[in-house]
Amino acid sequence: MSDHQQQRTSSPPSLSGDALPPLEQHARQYETVRNAHETELIEDYVELIGDLLRHRGEARAADIASRMAVSQATVSKMIRRLNDLGLVTSKPYRSLFLTEEGQKMAETSRARHNVVLHFLRALGVNDSTARIDAEGMEHHVSDETLAIMQRFTEQQNS
Amino acid sequence: MSDHQQQRTSSPPSLSGDALPPLEQHARQYETVRNAHETELIEDYVELIGDLLRHRGEARAADIASRMAVSQATVSKMIRRLNDLGLVTSKPYRSLFLTEEGQKMAETSRARHNVVLHFLRALGVNDSTARIDAEGMEHHVSDETLAIMQRFTEQQNS
DNA sequence: CATGATTGTTAGCCAAGGCTAAACTGTTTG
DNA sequence: CAAACAGTTTAGCCTTGGCTAACAATCATG
Ligand SMILES: [Mn+2]
Ligand SMILES: [Mn+2]
Ligand SMILES: [Mn+2]
Ligand SMILES: [Mn+2]
């Protein structure tokens, strides 16, 4: 099929599915995704540290490493970054703590994560699948969509 | 844990929101996300190349660069990777084409992308927001969730 | 209180995915 | 048909986020 293959047997000129979005808009889609990827891991770390602090009272590098399924060296390096970003405070060989800013990020990340997770469950997705999907999706859900998801979930549970 | 600090004062055992998932499951969440990130960009390139071929008859590096809002050098490097992966064929200074395998990937990516996009619109999300969110979310939606989204969308449009 | 186990850090490696600058090719056009 | 221009490639750089191996600190325990 050098050109067009059958495609419908008798179709008029252009029946090639949805059109391409205008260039500017299309570009903005990919840019937004790239931006999300820059903060994604940071958010997951901060959120996890917050959760460990809330549930365990402390957040050790070793716990983060096993929860994230990543080496301790990787965690150690990332902790320095979080420190440089002013999100955590860490004395060597001691538990981590979140700065004010880190706490704020942890809360908003956790809130968003929960909205997505509960939405997926309300949609009918199996819990463990919902958890996996939410872990990735959360970073790519706009505020607009988030609000709609929340409304949907509330409506469903009533 | 050396010290614990206060940590509880007087509250009943656990009032710290949802519990942490069991370690194995939690680790699997992050692993799945990392895996998705490995193939994500590849899929977007292949999908875009497929769309350009369908809509324009050819896929030039310059078009990809402007659509992705990325430098031509970046595209050129990525094309070599796609070539090495057996997803595209490319003669220097000529338009790209998809291999069989590339076409298969383009189709399944496009199909999944569309399910997510149409689902978001059916949910009530504004079109341009839906496009942005779908571009990121698509790579983190399991088959299970995808099927549910599709059913939801169909049901909504009837 | 010495010592082994656990935990944390550092050094050095790698691949992916960006970038700019410079060189090269192909096409258009005066 | 020679330039000029547009498109493509290459070289070299950078950051992120992984890894392993070696070393260092802390903690538990006999
Ligand atoms: Mn999260
Ligand atoms: Mn996440
Ligand atoms: Mn896509
Ligand atoms: Mn995408």
Side-chain angles (χ1 to χ4, degrees), chain A residues 15-135:
Chain A
L15 189 58
S16 9
D18 300 318
L20 286 165
L23 199 145
E24 323 295 337
Q25 189 187 1
H26 207 169
R28 207 162 337 116
Q29 289 175 208
Y30 295 114
E31 280 170 340
T32 305
V33 172
R34 282 196 298 272
N35 289 342
H37 282 159
E38 275 176 31
T39 47
E40 187 164 339
L41 230 212
I42 304 284
E43 288 170 4
D44 282 342
Y45 267 85
V46 168
E47 190 189 341
L48 176 55
I49 291 167
D51 287 345
L52 288 170
L53 288 170
R54 291 190 313 126
H55 291 292
R56 296 255 200 284
E58 62 175 3
R60 315 297 304 236
D63 290 353
I64 298 172
S66 58
R67 294 248 156 211
M68 292 235 177
V70 123
S71 76
Q72 288 190 347
T74 295
V75 172
S76 204
K77 200 196 271 191
M78 186 61 60
I79 287 170
R80 193 204 311 289
R81 258 188 85 204
L82 297 176
N83 214 325
D84 294 351
L85 290 170
L87 296 168
V88 310
T89 59
S90 68
K91 292 174 207 128
Y93 298 96
R94 301 299 244 292
S95 172
L96 298 169
F97 295 96
L98 294 173
T99 62
E100 281 299 314
E101 197 189 338
Q103 285 183 38
K104 227 176 293 172
M105 180 183 285
E107 270 164 49
T108 64
S109 293
R110 179 164 48 85
R112 201 185 43 183
H113 194 139
N114 280 334
V115 170
V116 175
L117 176 58
H118 294 145
F119 169 77
L120 288 173
R121 291 203 282 229
L123 251 196
V125 179
N126 177 277
D127 180 80
S128 67
T129 307
R131 284 177 183 277
I132 290 174
D133 290 2
E135 191 62 74

